[in-house]
């Protein structure tokens, strides 16, 4: 069964869920896992695409937008439909809803920052996952 991990920023953290996404992608890639970042908003997807190139000068995270990059060379995808050209092991969800394809992944990471809407919808997703019987973990993160 898919494992669900919630990552919420501590109140004193200055970052947002996009910076948190970059940090998690870096950790996940260190384990040589393939990642899909589910980002249904095209503007936010482009923002994240730029941020993954620039968030740290000493870091390189090969990534690209679904449909615009070679799936054989790219271990990190950003998309809105849950269908990269190749299978990924980890899903990072930047949507405010549970994607209908979470069961395709070994692990799903839900990212919560200080935005009131993100926090409220994150609580709703946590309850929904729990009601469906998914194994849940919650991690508090300080950036």
């Amino acid at each position: 069964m898919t494992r669900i991990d919630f990552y919420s920023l501590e109140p004193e953290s200055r970052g947002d869920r996009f910076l948190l996404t970059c940090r998690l992608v870096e950790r996940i890639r260190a384990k040589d896992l393939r990642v899909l970042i589910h980002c249904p908003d095209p503007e936010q997807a482009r923002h994240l695409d730029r941020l993954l190139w620039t968030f740290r000068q000493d870091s390189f995270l090969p990534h690209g937008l679904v449909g615009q990059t070679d799936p054989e060379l790219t271990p990190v995808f950003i998309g809105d439909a849950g269908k990269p050209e190749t299978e990924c092991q980890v899903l990072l969800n930047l949507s405010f809803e549970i994607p209908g394809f979470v069961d395709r992944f070994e692990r799903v990471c839900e990212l919560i920052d200080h935005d009131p809407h993100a926090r409220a919808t994150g609580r709703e997703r946590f309850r929904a996952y729990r009601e469906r019987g998914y194994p849940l973990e919650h991690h508090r993160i300080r950036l």
Side-chain angles (χ1 to χ4, degrees), residues 5-132:
D5 288 288
F6 276 77
Y7 293 88
S8 60
L9 290 177
E10 291 282 1
E12 64 275 3
S13 292
R14 295 185 182 194
D16 60 14
R17 61 195 178 112
F18 297 99
L19 183 56
L20 178 57
T21 298
C22 293
R23 296 274 174 95
L24 285 175
V25 167
E26 190 173 50
R27 288 181 183 177
I28 293 165
R29 284 299 306 142
K31 296 177 183 176
D32 204 31
L33 299 173
R34 294 178 64 84
V35 179
L36 171 64
I37 303 168
H38 178 59
C39 190
D41 181 303
E43 186 177 316
Q44 290 179 350
R46 286 188 298 277
H47 168 68
L48 184 59
D49 181 37
R50 288 187 302 272
L51 189 59
L52 281 165
W53 287 113
T54 62
F55 90 104
R56 279 193 9 178
Q57 288 195 349
D58 62 342
S59 175
F60 174 69
L61 297 169
H63 69 280
L65 299 170
V66 171
Q68 296 181 16
T69 187
D70 185 343
E72 297 299 318
L73 301 174
T74 309
V76 179
F77 294 95
I78 304 167
D80 65 353
K83 298 184 179 188
E85 292 84 355
T86 61
E87 286 300 309
C88 296
Q89 292 121 327
V90 182
L91 172 70
L92 276 68
N93 185 25
L94 291 175
S95 172
F96 294 129
E97 300 174 358
I98 296 175
F101 46 83
V102 296
D103 291 328
R104 285 191 16 230
F105 297 85
E106 296 169 17
R107 181 177 171 206
V108 173
C109 301
E110 294 280 353
L111 304 139
I112 313 296
D113 60 13
H114 304 301
D115 176 74
H117 183 65
R119 295 183 81 73
T121 57
R123 287 184 192 105
E124 291 171 12
R125 290 192 309 278
F126 190 91
R127 283 191 293 272
Y129 283 124
R130 185 177 55 210
E131 289 171 4
R132 295 177 189 175

